[in-house]
Amino acid sequence: MSKLFVGGLAWHTTDQTLREGFEKFGPVEEATVVKDHDSFRSRGFGFVRFANAQDAQAAIDAMNDQLFDGRTIRVDKASERTGGRNGGYNGRGGYNRPEGGSGGGYRGGGYGGSYNDGGWRNNSQQPSADQGA
């Protein structure tokens, strides 16, 4: 089994259109256009899964940087997901992180540490030498 990433899809490309475009290279197990979870509109990319790696490679060789459904698409082997979902963006999201993580959210990140341990706010509260403390 071999999964391909297909980028640069036209907004009107459907799962069926994607399947039909890749079936000429071999049996397609799954063809999915990724959609926005709020608007249900295409996000402009999708995935095609072939039963065997030879068919997938033939599709890459023939379809990468080619016109498909009105747009030039990019076709490449899909990278495997690693780990679970940790706040989106490959685990770099800030709102679902455990305490003590760095970056994102309202604590532990940004300019000089968290909100309560000083950082830039303490520096701006000290009078400068020319103000005459």
Side-chain angles (χ1 to χ4, degrees), residues 12-78:
H12 61 268
T13 301
T14 64
D15 294 352
Q16 186 61 33
T17 308
L18 188 61
R19 176 181 290 276
E20 290 169 359
F22 281 80
E23 280 181 330
K24 57 187 160 195
F25 303 103
V28 172
E29 292 183 343
E30 180 183 27
T32 305
V33 175
V34 177
K35 296 174 183 67
D36 180 80
H37 64 82
D38 291 328
S39 68
F40 301 108
R41 289 180 40 182
S42 169
R43 293 185 60 196
F45 67 95
F47 297 95
V48 176
R49 189 171 64 216
F50 283 93
N52 69 59
Q54 293 80 15
D55 294 342
Q57 188 59 52
I60 292 171
D61 295 340
M63 298 290 285
N64 191 36
D65 291 325
Q66 299 299 311
L67 201 62
F68 177 76
D69 207 14
R71 297 270 315 249
T72 301
I73 60 171
R74 185 180 132 227
V75 182
D76 203 354
K77 289 182 181 176

Side-chain angles (χ1 to χ4, degrees), residues 63-127:
M63 298 290 285
N64 191 36
D65 291 325
Q66 299 299 311
L67 201 62
F68 177 76
D69 207 14
R71 297 270 315 249
T72 301
I73 60 171
R74 185 180 132 227
V75 182
D76 203 354
K77 289 182 181 176
S79 56
E80 294 295 320
R81 279 188 163 181
T82 57
R85 293 184 60 128
N86 252 355
Y89 297 103
N90 259 350
R92 297 187 312 262
Y95 295 106
N96 293 329
R97 299 186 96 147
E99 289 289 323
S102 62
Y106 292 108
R107 297 183 186 143
Y111 300 98
S114 69
Y115 181 79
N116 290 327
D117 52 282
W120 64 272
R121 288 185 185 259
N122 278 355
N123 293 338
S124 65
Q125 293 172 355
Q126 296 174 2

